[in-house]
Structure formats: C-alpha cells, structure tokens
Amino acid sequence: MDSRTHGTHDAQDGFAVDLPARRALATEAVHAGREDLAELGLHAPPLDFSTTYPSHDSRDEAARIDAFAADGAEPDGPPVYGRLGNPTVARFETAVARLEGTGGAVAFASGMAALSAVLLARNTQGLRHVVAVRPLYGCSDHLLTAGLLGNEVTWTDPAGIADALRPDTGLVMVESPANPTLAEVDLRAIAHACGSVPLLADNTFATPVLQRPAALGARLVLHSATKYLGGHGDVMGGVVACDEEMASRLRQMRFATGAVLHPLAGYLLLRGLSTLPVRVRAASATAEELTRRLAADPRVARVHYPRIGGAMIAFEVHGDPHAVIGRVRLITPAVSLGSVDTLIQHPASISHRIVDATDRRDAGVSDRLLRLSVGLEDVEDLWSDLDTALGAARGPAPARRQEAVGR
C-alpha cells in the first residue's frame, strides 16, 4: 500500500503551516501536529493543563461560543474552556487526521465515548437505526444490541448490508480486522453498498500503518487510542477521524456530554504516534513468525491471522484455554492490546463475555479461542513461553464466568 499521506494547510494555535503535498507515513507520524514548534522556539510539544482561559473581550467570546453552538466549528483565536477544546489535544487530533487522510479528527476520553458520540450525533438527526456486521468489540456489540443510547440495530453479513438499509439508517458499522477473530471485510465494497449512509470502520487493530479506511470509502474511522496509538498501556483515549462536517457535530456532542480527553492523555497519545509505524511493523514481523509456529503445532486447532498482517493473532486450542492463560509467565494475561509487551486473553470469558453466547459463537468466537497481542519482545522468548503454556492446556476446559472489562 502507499505509505504516503497528503498534506493540507493546517493551523495549530494560530500558526499557519504550509505542508508538502506528500509525505511518507513515518514522517507524518513524527511531525504531524508539531510543525509550528520551531517557530515557537520549542522542540517538545507544550502540555497545556488549563481548564479555562482569560478573555477581556466578553463580546468576542460570546460570538465565538455562539458560532460553535451553531455549527460546531473550532473557535478562532485563543481557547475558551477545556470542554470546548485543548491545544495539546488538538495537536493529537491534527496528527490522527493526517495519518488517516481525513479532514478532521475528534478525540474523546475512551474509544467507547467516541462511538457513543457518533451514535448520539446521528440520533439527533432522527437516524437511530444502525446496520452492523459481527464480530465487533464486545462492548460495541453490547452498546448496539442493548439499545442503551436509543438505537436499533440490524445485524447482517457484508452481502446483506444494502438490503438492511432503511430511511432512518444513520450508520453502518464494521470492524476489520475484527475483534477478536481477525475476520476481514472488503471495506471498499461495503462503502459502495452503504450508498449515502455513512460507514464507520473501527481501525483499532490495523491502525493507519496497515490500512486507511477513509481512502476506501469509510466516512468515519474509529480508534480505541488506548491501544496502538498510545502503544504503552499507560493512557486511555478514543478518536474519530472523519470529514469536517461530521467532526463539527462530534465536537458539539463532546461539549454537551463532557467526554473530553485529558490534556496529559493527548500529550502521551501524540508521543505514541511518533513510534507507531516502527512498533506496528516490528510487532507484526514477530506475529507472523508466531503464527507460522502456532499453525504447525498439533496442540493448536486453528489459527486466525489477517491478510493485511498486524500484531494480533487469534488461535483455538484443542485443550483447556484457561490453562494456557494460567501458565504464561513472560506474556501478560490481561485485557487490552497494542502495548509494547505481549498480552493474552480469553475473549469468551472477558472482552466478549457481555455478548450473548449464541451470537458470540455464531460470530466465530469459540470457547477455545485465545487472543494474543504481540509486543516487542524477542520471538524466541515469546515462543518459549507459549510452548510451555500450551503444554499445560490438555484436558477438558472447566466452566468459568467472568465479566467483560475490556477489549
């Protein structure tokens, strides 16, 4: 795939920056959102913790707030209040938009807050119906299925999307590669089937390093930024990359709900982006080798690995998956993914426990499926730990119940 991105004329903290027409993804990851630093006499991006900002011109401030309320556009001039926006977070948003090739991006306190804002924004237009393809992340599935935000969902396979659309359909949602089975869909074909209905693609697993859904027709690109964008397991956030019209509505929803990203989180996420291509490619090379070894192992029934590559592996064992979880020592048995260290979890017990058992199995999430997020450790050390853990997986799997707590 083309590793270059198209530049735009960008303004950060009032400083206009003329960007080159095309820059490689690795270059954008390091420089996007930071172009004005040299002019400011800085090397590292400033971290602004302010919750409010002084203004002696209350008439101008009122006019800018009125403009934001009317169309959701980012206020010109100095910041107003932390719930409307933050300069440090804005740098992260600029960088994500550049990496995904969209006109804008809006950051939130978590990936679920980001998805909730999208659904609420469509609801306000009377478009409460969602068409979705399983599997999705378990909490995304639950949010839609339970109708917690007043939405109605129609679950279908990719071939049935066009027939599932209704006059009140506000969104089509897919995740590719999907959590946790790593199933892939043809995003370009799905975008075509959506017609005028916006397609939201969860790109958390692939990241813009491996896939840019906006270039394939998706109008919204969702990330749990907690995962690869942050990359170190120490920050939580979510972001939606989209066109400016949709971004304006999402900013209004963020202001109304207060689901803002903390400035320190924005700073850490921007820092994480600078190493995103290096981390994803290095972890992907290790994942490919582990996939090869798992596929040849008689203790493993089936291995799932996406065609586009990546650092996620799903595999089903013949024996007890809980025994594998209990026996790893180097690999961390924990939810989440995309960190520099390798994590393993049992989706049917944790990340997808909240999904109805029948729906879960129909989507390919079997009770013997394990999900591995490959980090940056040496491949031989990881394989040694997996080999030992797989040796403990013989015998029937005991019944166990756990609540869903993460991806």
Side-chain angles (χ1 to χ4, degrees):
M1 62 180 274
D2 187 356
S3 66
R4 295 183 174 270
T5 57
H6 290 277
T8 60
H9 187 75
D10 179 69
Q12 176 67 55
D13 294 339
F15 178 71
V17 181
D18 289 307
L19 301 179
R22 290 174 68 84
R23 298 201 302 199
L25 179 78
T27 302
E28 288 286 18
V30 172
H31 290 281
R34 304 169 179 85
E35 289 86 359
D36 62 330
L37 294 184
E39 294 293 330
L40 294 173
L42 301 172
H43 182 242
L47 175 51
D48 187 339
F49 280 120
S50 300
T51 58
T52 192
Y53 299 85
S55 173
H56 292 284
D57 190 342
S58 56
R59 291 185 182 88
D60 175 70
E61 193 161 83
R64 291 193 294 134
I65 292 174
D66 286 346
F68 176 83
D71 60 19
E74 293 182 284
D76 293 327
V80 178
Y81 183 58
R83 194 149 44 85
L84 270 80
N86 171 274
T88 303
V89 172
R91 291 179 181 276
F92 168 64
E93 293 172 328
T94 295
V96 171
R98 205 88 51 75
L99 290 174
E100 285 289 5
T102 58
V106 184
F108 295 86
S110 70
M112 289 307 301
L115 175 57
S116 296
V118 173
L119 295 174
L120 289 171
R122 302 305 283 165
N123 288 357
T124 62
Q125 297 179 285
L127 302 170
R128 297 179 176 273
H129 181 240
V130 178
V131 175
V133 176
R134 281 191 172 113
L136 296 176
Y137 165 49
C139 288
S140 299
D141 188 308
H142 178 66
L143 182 65
L144 295 175
T145 302
L148 298 177
L149 299 179
N151 296 94
E152 179 186 350
V153 62
T154 297
W155 295 101
T156 185
D157 58 24
I161 287 175
D163 290 337
L165 300 178
R166 305 186 331 204
D168 64 336
T169 302
L171 195 70
V172 174
M173 182 173 180
V174 300
E175 184 174 2
S176 181
N179 187 352
T181 66
L182 304 178
E184 295 171 274
V185 297
D186 185 338
L187 290 176
R188 192 183 300 278
I190 287 179
H192 183 265
C194 290
S196 61
V197 176
L199 170 63
L200 182 149
D202 188 328
N203 204 34
T204 298
F205 277 23
T207 80
V209 177
L210 301 177
Q211 171 179 268
R212 294 193 189 93
L216 302 173
R219 190 173 175 191
L220 304 107
V221 183
L222 173 69
H223 285 274
S224 172
T226 309
K227 312 308 189 293
Y228 287 104
L229 302 193
H232 292 75
D234 57 5
V235 59
M236 185 169 287
V239 64
V240 179
C242 54
D243 57 62
E244 182 54 32
E245 179 185 353
M246 193 67 74
S248 296
R249 292 188 177 277
L250 293 179
R251 290 188 200 104
Q252 290 177 315
M253 201 57 60
R254 181 178 62 185
F255 175 73
T257 61
V260 296
L261 184 69
H262 191 275
L264 179 58
Y267 179 89
L268 291 172
L269 290 171
L270 180 64
R271 186 176 69 170
L273 288 181
S274 63
T275 60
L276 177 67
V278 176
R279 287 186 285 104
V280 169
R281 288 166 182 155
S284 297
T286 300
E288 289 178 9
E289 174 59 19
L290 291 176
T291 296
R292 185 187 67 79
R293 298 187 188 189
L294 287 168
D297 195 303
R299 298 166 295 185
V300 176
R302 187 178 182 188
V303 177
H304 308 259
Y305 188 71
R307 291 187 301 276
I308 64 170
M312 299 299 300
I313 306 171
F315 61 98
E316 299 170 48
V317 296
H318 287 296
D320 180 4
H322 301 289
V324 177
I325 296 290
R327 190 66 181 85
V328 292
R329 293 296 179 265
L330 176 66
I331 297 168
T332 303
V335 298
S336 200
L337 56 107
S339 183
V340 291
D341 61 319
T342 300
L343 309 176
I344 192 169
Q345 67 113 334
H346 182 243
S349 293
I350 305 180
S351 64
H352 289 70
R353 188 69 179 182
I354 204 167
V355 179
D356 176 80
T358 300
D359 292 336
R360 188 170 66 226
R361 294 182 186 114
D362 288 346
V365 186
S366 78
D367 291 341
R368 294 184 184 271
L369 182 75
L370 293 167
R371 193 193 70 189
L372 188 71
S373 171
V374 179
L376 300 180
E377 301 95 338
D378 184 85
V379 66
E380 297 300 336
D381 291 329
L382 290 174
W383 178 248
S384 176
D385 198 37
L386 275 175
D387 183 41
T388 300
L390 286 168
R394 302 185 185 282
R400 181 181 297 184
R401 292 186 61 83
Q402 290 178 300
E403 296 301 317
V405 293
R407 279 185 182 249

